[in-house]
Amino acid sequence: MEAFLNSDYIKPMPYLLEGLVFTLLITFAGLFFGFIIGAFTGLGRLSKNKFIYGLSSVYVEVIRGTPLLAQILFIYFGLSQLMDLNMHKLVAAILAIALNAGAYIAEIVRGAVHSIDKGQMEAGRSIGLTKNQTMRYIIWPQAFKRMIPPLGNQFVISLKDTSLFSAIAVGEMVYKAKTYYATTFTPFETLTMVCVLYLLITIPTSIYLRRVERRLDV
């Protein structure tokens, strides 16, 4: 037991767990704001207003058409220079995840709302509800049910994407691993444990999402 605890696989765990805290913080905070952005943008993609539709579409296409790493560097270095800001690395990381995930969540929202039968809107209007009330009380609850599985998949994707923030020295798991094995010369053992920690989160999440999908029958 003592040999196991003193092995090169276990020694980096305190550093990696410290990085895991930042990984989860960036993921949850980024997806929280990303969902807000995605919800408004997704509904904007369904708008009959050409300006709102066009603005939403440009945002989605630009974000989905550029690499996340380029977005991270642009936000941290480019925007900081443009706006003369000393942007904190953690703020840049959360903003990058929020903007990136928001574009994909927008398509999830658009697809889910679009999948609801148009008769639902007509039924709501026929009983005296306004368009916004019909969306809020009839369309959105049904659409949100259909969003849950793909939103869970987006969580897994965004969680793994946090590894890219090592490029700007954010203290997430990969960065912590790199700084650790740079002094201990144990990259194989350290990175193995990084992969194990990611899998301990992503595999149960994927299993849970499949159960939810079957339960909701979506």
Side-chain angles (χ1 to χ4, degrees):
M1 185 65 179
E2 184 177 350
F4 173 74
L5 293 176
N6 289 325
S7 70
D8 289 331
Y9 291 96
I10 301 302
K11 285 181 179 179
M13 286 302 290
Y15 301 93
L16 299 183
L17 291 175
E18 184 180 340
L20 179 60
V21 172
F22 281 95
T23 294
L24 293 175
L25 173 62
I26 294 167
T27 303
F28 282 109
L31 286 178
F32 172 78
F33 292 110
F35 181 77
I36 295 173
I37 295 170
F40 282 103
T41 306
L43 294 176
R45 295 265 281 169
L46 295 169
S47 176
K48 294 181 180 179
N49 184 300
K50 291 184 179 180
F51 176 76
I52 295 176
Y53 173 81
L55 190 63
S56 301
S57 297
V58 168
Y59 161 70
V60 169
E61 295 303 326
V62 168
I63 295 298
R64 294 180 67 189
T66 54
L68 176 56
L69 181 57
Q71 296 166 18
I72 294 168
L73 297 176
F74 178 80
I75 290 170
Y76 185 62
F77 294 109
L79 286 184
S80 295
Q81 180 186 24
L82 180 66
M83 304 176 68
D84 195 23
L85 294 174
N86 185 19
M87 188 178 295
H88 193 281
K89 295 172 184 177
L90 189 60
V91 173
I94 293 172
L95 181 59
I97 286 292
L99 291 175
N100 183 268
Y104 291 92
I105 292 173
E107 289 299 278
I108 294 172
V109 170
R110 183 190 64 81
V113 172
H114 189 70
S115 70
I116 304 301
D117 191 281
K118 293 181 179 179
Q120 298 284 337
M121 177 62 75
E122 296 172 359
R125 300 301 297 274
S126 68
I127 61 174
L129 297 178
T130 65
K131 185 176 180 180
N132 289 336
Q133 288 174 329
T134 303
M135 175 62 71
R136 179 180 177 182
Y137 296 113
I138 298 178
I139 305 297
W140 184 259
Q142 297 179 71
F144 185 76
K145 176 182 175 182
R146 301 185 181 187
M147 294 178 207
I148 293 175
L151 286 176
N153 291 331
Q154 184 60 48
F155 166 78
V156 172
I157 292 170
S158 294
L159 175 74
K160 293 184 293 183
D161 283 345
T162 58
S163 61
L164 295 173
F165 294 117
S166 61
I168 58 172
V170 174
E172 46 72 52
M173 275 201 295
V174 173
Y175 180 77
K176 287 290 186 181
K178 289 168 65 177
T179 55
Y180 179 81
Y181 70 67
T183 56
T184 60
F185 306 104
T186 56
F188 178 82
E189 294 87 348
T190 305
L191 292 174
T192 296
M193 297 312 296
V194 169
C195 293
V196 168
L197 287 174
Y198 274 117
L199 290 173
L200 286 175
I201 300 172
T202 58
I203 290 178
T205 301
S206 298
I207 293 172
Y208 176 74
L209 288 173
R210 284 196 291 270
R211 291 180 178 176
V212 169
E213 191 170 354
R214 287 195 297 267
R215 188 178 304 169
L216 296 176
D217 191 26
V218 294

